[in-house]
Amino acid sequence: MSRRSGVLEFAVLGLLRESPMHGYELRKRLNTSLGVFRAFSYGTLYPCLKGLVANGWLVEETGGAPDGVPATALTGRRAKIVYRLTAAGKDHFEELLTHSGPDAWEDEHFGVRFAFFGQTSRDVRMRVLEGRRSRLEERLEKMRTSLARTRERLDDYTLELQRHGMESVEREVRWLNELIESERAGRDQRAPGPTERDKNTPSGDADGLPRHRGGSRPDPSE
Amino acid sequence: MSRRSGVLEFAVLGLLRESPMHGYELRKRLNTSLGVFRAFSYGTLYPCLKGLVANGWLVEETGGAPDGVPATALTGRRAKIVYRLTAAGKDHFEELLTHSGPDAWEDEHFGVRFAFFGQTSRDVRMRVLEGRRSRLEERLEKMRTSLARTRERLDDYTLELQRHGMESVEREVRWLNELIESERAGRDQRAPGPTERDKNTPSGDADGLPRHRGGSRPDPSE
DNA sequence: GTTTTCATGTAACCCGTTACATGATTCA
DNA sequence: TGAATCATGTAACGGGTTACATGAAAAC
């Protein structure tokens, strides 16, 4: 029943975990914060929200606030329908975060996953990063052999395209290497057990991300 | 009537322009030569082929060859249905090649376009490359402003994701710059007028592609 | 002789967009 | 007051995949 998108569902739950929002605003956040990769339209978002409500992950807070107080008072501007994550929704999201099946490292999913790394434990992050990396290395392998078999029959442009494609993948692998390395060296563990705790620490800058200096040291891998 | 995919149609016509093929083989070529980016399934390909036949761009050559010669004799192995580009199909493809509307530089289309650059005139190539570039620069602009507005509210991971995304785009822009430059310097013009002529010159290596030496000079931009 | 690979197809579904309809609120 | 932006929705379509059904040729 209703659209169960996977990425969209995940992203919506993740964003609403931080704070309640109405659809319109949600969509903007989706298309900026996360939206370097994905852009959703209302035609996708609204039905999805309905579905999540039907599942009990979200509640709508229309017009009247809990005690009949007009919502106007809350924001200074009338918010039509504000969606708030329920306890069940929170649990569900935690579940999704830690469960991370093997499609967590596919192209469509990985970006969103990564965007919510801040709410995950390090082991999960490592699993996802390493999964992604081996996925890409697999792909590289295929590209290489396929290229070796067909190199002669291809014209310069096709070849150049192929080359650029492979280089892109290689570049992402190097990126992942840096990330994995700095996770490994990272001095904070953050919740080895999955659920709950560590409420709303605005995340300071607790994690050991590469903190990109200049960029491109001479590429240690290879 | 039937699926009109755009990219798939284009790719199929382009591949069949080189030589007739049956569906199965066609699909493999799609997923190797061009398939670094796209991968199609039979469920997409076969209906599309039917459609192209219905349009008169292709003809099916089943069992009996033109004069009743069993196709077995041709390949040593019985080819079920071989698709061949008609004259009308050829024209249509040329049309698509030169017409190149503004979606030729969108993500999904650009790759395939590029793959068939070998069959295009230089002006078209320039148009597409420059179109793509300005499309990407546009996108970069948006990313930059959006980032500037929201930088503070984002945690480290989201930020890193954004940074990596932008860098990817910047990288493609640099790639396009190289390509454009070498097109500009290229010593062959190849059909300044659009349609027809230059039948089947197997394309040797007439064009002045970057001919990538080693790779990665220390990154002059920035 | 059985398993792989080649080869063609279809129906059901999935995820998403476009175009449209509707109306409230803000701002010039 | 009228235009822009905020805000919510839906129906129709688009492009694609999955899973399935079918069968011939090759390889073991």
Side-chain angles (χ1 to χ4, degrees):
Chain A
M1 41 209 76
S2 281
R3 303 310 183 124
R4 195 67 49 81
S5 152
V7 300
L8 182 53
E9 175 178 325
F10 187 87
V12 165
L13 293 174
L15 283 181
L16 289 181
R17 230 208 81 162
E18 295 163 13
S19 75
M21 269 180 281
H22 52 256
Y24 191 85
E25 193 184 347
L26 203 45
R27 191 216 174 205
K28 282 202 309 190
R29 301 272 322 252
L30 280 172
N31 295 196
T32 56
S33 311
L34 318 174
V36 185
F37 306 94
R38 269 347 222 94
F40 293 96
S41 60
Y42 300 120
T44 318
L45 178 56
Y46 284 119
C48 171
L49 285 170
K50 296 283 175 191
L52 293 177
V53 168
N55 268 286
W57 314 136
L58 305 183
V59 280
E60 302 184 346
E61 280 169 5
T62 40
D67 293 21
V69 180
T72 326
L74 296 171
T75 56
R77 162 200 207 117
R78 190 186 163 211
K80 297 295 184 91
I81 302 179
V82 173
Y83 292 91
R84 178 186 299 279
L85 203 57
T86 65
K90 229 168 233 181
D91 285 358
H92 181 55
F93 183 63
E94 298 288 345
E95 177 80 18
L96 289 178
L97 265 183
T98 59
H99 200 60
S100 57
D103 33 61
W105 29 85
E106 293 309 312
D107 295 320
E108 333 84 58
H109 295 29
F110 175 73
V112 196
R113 284 277 162 180
F114 191 95
F116 291 105
F117 262 20
Q119 316 194 6
T120 330
S121 69
R122 186 161 68 170
D123 0 345
V124 172
R125 294 198 293 261
M126 286 293 273
R127 269 232 319 288
V128 174
L129 290 173
E130 283 171 346
R132 174 77 181 157
R133 182 175 56 178
S134 69
R135 180 79 190 70
L136 291 183
E137 263 156 3
E138 219 170 77
R139 193 180 301 180
L140 270 179
E141 205 45 46
K142 269 186 203 148
M143 291 165 92
R144 287 207 183 94
T145 61
S146 139
L147 184 58
R149 279 190 297 101
T150 56
R151 175 175 292 132
E152 300 311 321
R153 309 190 293 110
L154 300 175
D155 69 298
D156 291 358
Y157 287 107
T158 312
L159 226 53
E160 173 62 18
L161 188 60
Q162 218 104 344
R163 196 197 57 75
H164 180 253
M166 285 191 36
E167 223 175 79
S168 300
V169 180
E170 282 163 356
R171 183 175 158 272
E172 188 176 341
V173 169
R174 287 196 296 271
W175 181 61
L176 289 170
N177 282 334
E178 285 187 41
L179 290 171
I180 287 167
E181 199 182 337
S182 71
E183 286 287 351
R184 201 162 269 146
R187 48 234 168 281
D188 106 301
Q189 212 83 349
R190 160 120 52 177
T195 25
E196 310 295 17
R197 232 41 301 125
D198 88 270
K199 273 296 195 198
N200 244 350
T201 61
S203 148
D205 73 61
D207 355 67
L209 284 184
R211 188 65 53 197
H212 266 266
R213 15 83 276 242
S216 72
R217 80 177 101 114
D219 188 59
S221 69
E222 222 159 349
Chain B
M1 45 202 68
S2 280
R3 305 305 183 132
R4 193 67 47 81
S5 151
V7 300
L8 182 53
E9 175 179 327
F10 187 86
V12 165
L13 293 174
L15 283 180
L16 289 181
R17 230 208 82 162
E18 295 163 15
S19 75
M21 269 180 280
H22 52 257
Y24 191 85
E25 193 183 348
L26 201 45
R27 192 216 174 205
K28 282 202 308 191
R29 300 274 321 254
L30 281 172
N31 295 196
T32 55
S33 310
L34 318 173
V36 186
F37 306 94
R38 262 2 214 84
F40 293 97
S41 59
Y42 300 120
T44 320
L45 178 57
Y46 285 118
C48 172
L49 285 169
K50 296 284 176 192
L52 293 176
V53 168
N55 268 287
W57 312 138
L58 304 184
V59 280
E60 302 183 345
E61 280 168 6
T62 40
D67 293 23
V69 181
T72 324
L74 296 172
T75 55
R77 164 201 206 115
R78 191 188 163 208
K80 297 292 183 92
I81 303 180
V82 172
Y83 292 91
R84 177 185 300 277
L85 203 56
T86 65
K90 231 169 231 180
D91 286 358
H92 180 57
F93 183 63
E94 296 288 344
E95 177 81 18
L96 289 178
L97 265 183
T98 59
H99 201 60
S100 56
D103 35 58
W105 28 85
E106 294 308 313
D107 296 321
E108 331 84 58
H109 295 30
F110 176 73
V112 195
R113 285 277 163 182
F114 191 94
F116 291 105
F117 262 17
Q119 316 195 7
T120 331
S121 70
R122 187 162 67 170
D123 1 344
V124 173
R125 295 196 294 260
M126 286 294 272
R127 270 232 318 288
V128 174
L129 289 174
E130 284 170 345
R132 174 78 182 156
R133 183 176 55 179
S134 68
R135 180 78 190 72
L136 290 183
E137 263 154 3
E138 221 170 78
R139 192 179 301 178
L140 269 179
E141 205 46 45
K142 269 185 203 147
M143 291 165 91
R144 288 207 183 94
T145 62
S146 138
L147 186 59
R149 280 191 295 100
T150 56
R151 175 174 291 131
E152 302 310 323
R153 309 190 292 110
L154 301 175
D155 70 297
D156 290 357
Y157 287 107
T158 313
L159 226 52
E160 173 62 18
L161 187 59
Q162 218 104 343
R163 195 196 59 74
H164 180 254
M166 285 192 35
E167 223 176 80
S168 299
V169 180
E170 282 164 356
R171 183 174 158 273
E172 187 176 343
V173 168
R174 287 197 295 273
W175 181 59
L176 289 170
N177 283 335
E178 285 188 41
L179 290 170
I180 288 168
E181 199 182 338
S182 73
E183 285 287 351
R184 200 163 269 145
R187 49 235 168 280
D188 105 301
Q189 211 82 351
R190 163 119 52 175
T195 24
E196 310 295 17
R197 235 38 304 126
D198 88 89
K199 273 298 195 197
N200 243 349
T201 61
S203 146
D205 73 61
D207 355 69
L209 284 185
R211 191 60 54 196
H212 266 269
R213 15 83 278 246
S216 70
R217 78 177 102 115
D219 190 59
S221 68
E222 219 161 354

